[in-house]
Amino acid sequence: MRDMAPDLGQEKIQALDAEAQRIMKLNDRGGYTVPTAGLYPYQWNWDSAFAAFGFARFDPGRAWTELETLMAGQWANGMVPHIQFHRADPGYFPGPEVWGTEGCAGKGPGRVASSGITQPPVAASFAWRVCQRDPVAGEARLKALFPRFLAMHRWFIDTRCESGAVAITHPWESGRDNAPDWDDAMAGFEPDGVGPYTRRDTSHVDARMRPTKADYDRYLWLVQFARKRGWDEAAVAAESPFRVADPTMTFTLMRACRDLRKAARVLGEPEGEITGWIERLEAGAETLWNPETGAHDARDLRTGQHAGSVSNASFLGWWGGLEDRRALPALTRILDAAKYALPSFDPQSPKHDRLRYWRGPVWGVMNMLASTGMAEAGLTAEAARIRADTIALIARHGFAEYFDPQEGTPAGGGAFTWTAAIWLGWASPSAGKE
Ligand code: DGY
């Protein structure tokens, strides 16, 4: 049985809005926000873009600053790294000394210390939304960032677009670190010689809610592998055992290109190149379609095999702008199987693990993307169900990193920036009512 969203009442809505703002300010480190203190003490790429979406509700100027800081960390080759290490923090591993990106050719001189991989490109989509809130003040700031977004998207198309779908070189790039989507590709190599290391994540959060040691060994092995090649995209593409086409990357880039094209129109910039990218990504999305699961699915580019994974990313096609409804029966099955939507992995699969990070729990940010896309595609009831469940989870359990899809139990880090941000920008009954 599914749950119904509680009828909150004005006072409770106002209290939740105030708490969400408080969390965003608490995690503000001056120009950028951390996802949460302790567990994630730096600036993460897509977390930061969601943060801008939340700030736009009460401080559009601060929203732009968030995006500007994020894009200032862009590498010379166009890539925007997944972590920017603005200030040293021993509470996180792996820090800048493990990544060793200093001096590598793609980065270029004078950039902030960073990781060597990227994350789902939602920044242009949220810049467009921030601009919608105050187009008069926003346009100049959007215009200044436009070339950076263009360069970022071009980098994805040139280096990562294989058969049109977007490849990841490390599970952390997908943002869905330990999703079952990567299990087969991760089992395809041994993390030999990775050496001893001390995890920090499990000192902040219950180990049952985090990736396993077998995963972590491979995460680090892949970092060392790319580092040895000077973070050279071509060498990693040619030699790494891990290269998987990812629905999250493909659909967020598709949407970000559509949003960038809207921006180009308003700013009087050329659209033709962006339109070409969208067409290429649409063709690529078809290579992710798995007829056996009836959903979009990750595909191992080394073996050509689908992962057989029905995840929350499987339902981002509508956010990407696809119109077809082939995934609707699979979505209906997943919605029926979870008390709280949208579980990050199929509750009917033996691999489902309701507390372990991206193998089961519900994530507010994915709910925002999926539900918004569904609403736009006319899947009104499905979109409303996902939003109502997000409201119920946050109202009852607070601004957690993620939630158990059956009990609603909050899990992972607390006082989480992006959960607060999607509350303010989307889930809150007050959103869009100003
Ligand atoms: C982590 O440290 O768990 C992050 O997800 C890596 O980006």
Side-chain angles (χ1 to χ4, degrees), residues 123-195:
S125 291
F126 288 119
W128 177 247
R129 281 168 175 255
V130 174
C131 193
Q132 299 306 101
R133 287 218 164 252
D134 184 359
V136 178
E139 237 176 80
R141 297 183 84 167
L142 180 63
K143 193 169 180 61
L145 287 177
F146 184 86
R148 288 191 176 269
F149 292 138
L150 202 64
M152 172 171 73
H153 293 190
R154 192 179 290 125
W155 175 85
F156 270 105
I157 298 289
D158 290 348
T159 67
R160 298 301 186 81
C161 218
E162 287 180 27
S163 318
V166 179
I168 56 168
T169 61
H170 192 296
W172 285 340
E173 290 200 306
S174 70
R176 298 182 297 121
D177 302 10
N178 65 339
D181 301 44
W182 330 122
D183 285 2
D184 291 345
M186 293 282 266
F189 63 96
E190 284 304 317
D192 292 330
V194 78

Side-chain angles (χ1 to χ4, degrees), residues 40 44 82-83 92-94 119 172 177 201 210 216 357:
Y40 302 115
W44 260 260
H82 101 296
I83 308 176
Y92 182 79
F93 176 87
Q119 252 185 344
W172 285 340
D177 302 10
D201 59 322
R210 296 289 302 173
Y216 248 81
Y357 211 35

Side-chain angles (χ1 to χ4, degrees), residues 301-384:
L301 294 169
R302 296 295 181 235
T303 63
Q305 298 300 309
H306 281 294
S309 162
V310 181
S311 72
N312 45 2
S314 299
F315 304 111
L316 291 183
W318 294 299
W319 168 256
L322 298 185
E323 284 171 9
D324 85 69
R325 293 191 172 191
R326 284 174 301 174
L328 192 51
L331 175 62
T332 305
R333 179 175 70 76
I334 298 293
L335 291 179
D336 287 346
K339 183 168 176 195
Y340 294 101
L342 193 57
S344 47
F345 193 65
D346 186 346
Q348 291 170 335
S349 163
K351 286 190 170 184
H352 178 87
D353 185 341
R354 63 198 189 144
L355 284 178
R356 203 180 284 283
Y357 211 35
W358 289 92
R359 299 179 80 88
V362 177
W363 292 74
V365 286
M366 294 295 274
N367 279 6
M368 181 262 152
L369 301 179
S371 170
T372 303
M374 287 170 201
E376 290 167 350
L379 299 173
T380 319
E382 292 77 5

Side-chain angles (χ1 to χ4, degrees), residues 182-224:
W182 330 122
D183 285 2
D184 291 345
M186 293 282 266
F189 63 96
E190 284 304 317
D192 292 330
V194 78
Y197 62 92
T198 306
R199 284 174 69 165
R200 298 273 183 243
D201 59 322
T202 43
S203 67
H204 299 289
V205 166
D206 185 335
R208 287 173 310 151
M209 301 174 180
R210 296 289 302 173
T212 60
K213 172 163 166 48
D215 278 331
Y216 248 81
D217 286 349
R218 286 168 175 79
Y219 296 154
L220 292 173
W221 188 90
L222 287 170
V223 169
Q224 292 168 3

